[in-house]
Amino acid sequence: MEEKIAGAEAAWSAGRAAGHIPQQRGESLLETAVRYTEERHWDVFPGTWLVAVGGVQRCSCGDLRCTAPGAHPVHEGWASLATGSASVARRMWEQQPTASVLLPTGRTFDAVSVPETAGFLALARLERMRSALGPVILTPERRMQFFVLPGTSVKLPDLVRKLGWSPASLDLAALGEGAYVVAPPTRYGARAVQWACRPTPANRWLPDVGELVPPLAYACGRDR
C-alpha cells in the first residue's frame, strides 16, 4: 500500500514539474482575494492573521493553543461578511492586508476533503481517466479539498453507500453550507496553503460530486 501511495505521489509530482499544475503566483492576499471575486465569482471574507510575538508567529485571535493559527474566522458571524464584490473585498483587505483569505462553501461551490495520501491516489487516477476536475487545495494539515458543485453534503452519504462503503468508515468529508475553506496563498502557521490544481479557465465549470466519489472513496478505502 505504501508503495502504491508513493507511486501516485511521484506521478503527481512529476506532472506538476512538467507544468500540468502551474506555479503559485506571488500575489498579495489583497490581490488574490479580489481576483477570486472577479475571475471566479467566489465569495470571500477575511479571517485571522499571524502576528510576531517574541519572535514566534502567533494567531491574531490571541489563543496560544489556537489549532489554526492565522487561518480561521475572526468571529462567529463570519458568514455575513462574505462578499462577491471586488470593491468590498479590496476595502476589507486594505484594512488588514495580512488577513487570511477564506472562502465559504455551500454557495458557488462545495468541497470534498480527504487525506493527502488518498488525494494523491485519486488525482493520479482522475488524470489517467481524463475526468473533469475542478480546483483542488492542498492544506498544511495534509488534506486535499476537491471543489465540486453545491449540494454535496446531501448527496455524499448515499453515493458512498452505493459503492458498498459505510460513510463513517471513510475519511471523506463534505464541506457545504456553514463551512469554509482556507484559500491560497494564506499562511497557516508555519506553512502556506497551496493549489494542487489551481483555478484556470479550463476548470471553471465544476464537476458534480457523483463524478469524483468513486475514485475518492476507492483511494480513501485503500488508505485506511
Side-chain angles (χ1 to χ4, degrees):
M1 177 54 203
E2 290 181 357
E3 291 179 359
K4 290 180 181 292
I5 293 174
E9 289 182 355
W12 183 82
S13 297
R16 177 173 58 179
H20 296 302
I21 298 177
Q23 295 294 316
Q24 314 293 311
R25 297 182 185 179
E27 295 179 328
S28 70
L29 292 164
L30 184 155
E31 292 170 333
T32 304
V34 170
R35 182 165 56 83
Y36 288 156
T37 62
E38 291 180 332
E39 296 183 8
R40 304 299 292 202
H41 304 293
W42 289 341
D43 285 359
V44 300
F45 69 98
T48 56
W49 55 93
L50 294 172
V51 294
V53 179
V56 177
Q57 294 290 325
R58 303 289 189 188
C59 186
S60 62
C61 72
D63 185 353
L64 298 181
R65 296 176 295 178
C66 180
T67 58
H72 64 84
V74 175
H75 54 74
E76 294 182 358
W78 60 264
S80 64
L81 293 177
T83 180
S85 166
S87 59
V88 173
R90 183 176 297 278
R91 288 198 298 271
M92 286 179 171
W93 269 271
E94 284 176 345
Q95 294 174 11
Q96 182 49 253
T98 56
S100 53
V101 179
L102 307 181
L103 311 177
T105 52
R107 300 187 181 189
T108 53
F109 67 88
D110 281 357
V112 179
S113 175
V114 299
E116 182 183 272
T117 49
F120 282 127
L121 287 172
L123 276 177
R125 190 176 188 188
L126 287 162
E127 290 178 356
R128 187 168 61 251
M129 296 167 60
R130 299 185 181 278
S131 300
L133 188 65
V136 182
I137 285 177
L138 179 62
T139 78
E141 296 176 307
R142 302 187 68 83
R143 297 192 69 83
M144 283 189 181
Q145 298 165 338
F146 290 72
F147 283 32
V148 292
L149 291 172
T152 297
S153 298
V154 175
K155 297 178 180 180
L156 188 60
D158 284 342
L159 289 170
V160 170
R161 290 190 190 97
K162 288 179 181 178
L163 293 172
W165 296 96
S166 164
S169 70
L170 299 180
D171 189 359
L172 182 69
L175 300 175
E177 186 175 358
Y180 62 90
V181 297
V182 183
T186 298
R187 292 202 66 80
Y188 190 138
R191 299 173 61 191
V193 183
Q194 300 182 51
W195 288 112
C197 296
R198 67 174 296 119
T200 68
N203 63 21
R204 181 174 297 278
W205 304 108
L206 300 177
D208 184 81
V209 65
E211 300 173 53
L212 299 190
V213 165
L216 289 175
Y218 169 82
C220 287
R222 296 299 298 268
D223 189 40
R224 290 191 306 171

